[in-house]
Amino acid sequence: MPGYRGPLLLAVLLAVVAAPGSFVRERVLFGTVLTGVFAAVPLVAMLARGLVRLAVSPAARSRVRRLRRPGNSVLLGCLLASGAVVLGYSVPGEDLGMLVMGLVALGLLPFVWFAWQMAGAAEPAEEAREGRLRGLWRWAAAPLLVGTTVLLISQGLPLEARFAIARPALTSYAEQALAAGSADPHRAWIGGYPVRDAELADGGVKFLIGRSGFFAHHGYAYFPLDGPTQHSGEYVHVSGPWYSWSGPDHF
């Protein structure tokens, strides 16, 4: 399926970024940033050239009117990239890796699609007309995906929804840790969160969420009584006995 190679590659890169282990992950992120920076220049130049051709060439304008509607590979790539951005905003302090992957993919996707179209991949007029009539929803699918992503992030829904799903498991672990008087710092996943550390502190249990934040550590804390006993400035109340916290800035 040659048309799905791009989305498949993006899915593999997202899986690498989401998997434990910083060695490969950091190099994938570094390569993604370099790719986005160096690919942006020729793609923007190609776009500018295409816009000039549209302004001066009737043949180019005719080709644009026969552009193919976005195919499955384009929509799947947009879906994966939008999902990565949503996941990036679903942890306290944001997951920089998922945000980088998602934003770079979303930024390059329209340029790549338009450049491919202008390179001569347009359908004949009759096929293009028939395809547009049958696939009008495809033109709106990608903007709706991006718009929905922006709306979800602006309302803070990814962060709230993920915490709501993980809260029962986190609460169960915190209550067991308080009853036992110790916390297991080596738990890898709790309630769908990659937990790097868990400790008893300030009268409750603090969880350090892995891959959250860039210049500081972030996580959640459980205080079953009257909130944290000290250092209250670093905690922000979420709901009930739960607080989010952020460590000192390392920048």
Side-chain angles (χ1 to χ4, degrees):
M1 296 184 295
Y4 293 89
R5 289 173 183 169
L8 180 60
L9 176 60
L10 178 59
V12 171
L13 293 176
L14 291 176
V16 171
V17 172
S22 60
F23 180 82
V24 177
R25 180 173 184 267
E26 290 176 357
R27 279 149 183 79
V28 168
L29 290 177
F30 183 72
T32 301
V33 173
L34 286 182
T35 300
V37 171
F38 287 108
V41 176
L43 287 175
V44 171
M46 189 176 297
L47 178 62
R49 179 185 176 187
L51 293 177
V52 172
R53 289 178 58 190
L54 288 177
V56 301
S57 173
R61 291 194 293 271
S62 176
R63 174 172 293 177
V64 168
R65 287 194 292 269
R66 301 198 306 269
L67 287 178
R68 291 183 180 180
R69 64 193 186 280
N72 293 338
S73 58
V74 174
L75 299 184
L76 184 57
C78 185
L79 178 63
L80 289 172
S82 299
V85 174
V86 170
L87 286 176
Y89 279 100
S90 68
V91 296
E94 290 86 44
D95 184 343
L96 180 65
M98 299 301 286
L99 284 179
V100 167
M101 296 296 298
L103 292 176
V104 169
L106 283 177
L108 293 181
L109 187 60
F111 291 101
V112 173
W113 177 80
F114 185 75
W116 176 72
Q117 297 281 2
M118 294 303 295
E123 295 174 321
E126 294 182 1
E127 295 182 12
R129 188 181 306 111
E130 182 181 357
R132 284 196 294 268
L133 293 176
R134 292 184 303 172
L136 291 176
W137 64 272
R138 290 178 176 273
W139 293 100
L144 283 176
L145 278 173
V146 175
T148 302
T149 300
V150 173
L151 179 62
L152 291 175
I153 292 171
S154 65
Q155 299 299 315
L157 293 179
L159 183 67
E160 295 177 4
R162 187 167 183 179
F163 178 72
I165 294 173
R167 180 170 177 169
L170 291 171
T171 301
S172 176
Y173 177 88
E175 291 177 347
Q176 293 178 12
L178 289 173
S182 63
D184 180 9
H186 304 295
R187 289 288 298 273
W189 290 87
I190 303 176
Y193 283 116
V195 177
R196 288 179 51 190
D197 190 19
E199 62 175 346
L200 300 182
D202 301 337
V205 182
K206 290 180 63 176
F207 298 92
L208 172 59
I209 305 299
R211 302 195 294 270
S212 63
F214 185 62
F215 298 118
H217 296 308
H218 294 263
Y220 289 106
Y222 178 80
F223 300 107
L225 299 177
D226 298 323
T229 57
Q230 56 183 349
H231 307 299
S232 58
E234 69 183 72
Y235 296 104
V236 177
H237 185 249
V238 177
S239 65
W242 282 100
Y243 294 74
S244 64
W245 64 271
S246 60
D249 195 334
H250 300 300
F251 181 71

